[in-house]
């Protein structure tokens, strides 16, 4: 979930392994940046924070494990 292009809220409740994950944002046409760390336990976790970069339609938000592998991602939809 993205609010006002900078507020970010991420939650998961499915088969992601227990561990710490970087919350990584990639603005549409920009480079990836880590904006926080989320702990997942038994497939569940949440994180809330802010992105310095504006996240508009097409931006990606991903959880990245310690080895650099992307565990999951979402794309900011266009406003309707």
């Amino acid at each position: 979930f993205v609010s006002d292009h900078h507020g970010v809220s991420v939650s998961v409740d499915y088969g992601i392994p227990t561990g710490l994950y970087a919350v990584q944002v990639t603005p549409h046409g920009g480079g990836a940046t880590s904006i926080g760390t989320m702990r997942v336990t038994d497939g569940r976790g949440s994180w809330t924070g802010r992105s310095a970069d504006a996240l508009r339609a097409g931006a990606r938000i991903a959880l990245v494990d310690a080895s650099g592998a992307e565990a999951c991602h979402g794309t900011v939809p266009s406003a309707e």
Side-chain angles (χ1 to χ4, degrees), residues 6-72:
H6 294 277
V8 179
S9 178
V10 178
S11 65
V12 294
D13 188 5
Y14 56 92
I16 295 175
T18 295
L20 292 176
Y21 293 84
V23 178
Q24 190 175 79
V25 296
T26 307
H28 184 68
T33 304
S34 180
I35 61 171
T37 303
M38 184 170 112
R39 178 178 298 282
V40 174
T41 303
D42 297 329
R44 297 173 57 169
S46 63
W47 180 89
T48 302
R50 292 191 55 79
S51 170
D53 295 312
L55 302 177
R56 303 186 192 294
R60 285 174 47 101
I61 302 169
L63 296 182
V64 178
D65 69 17
S67 72
E70 186 177 291
C72 64

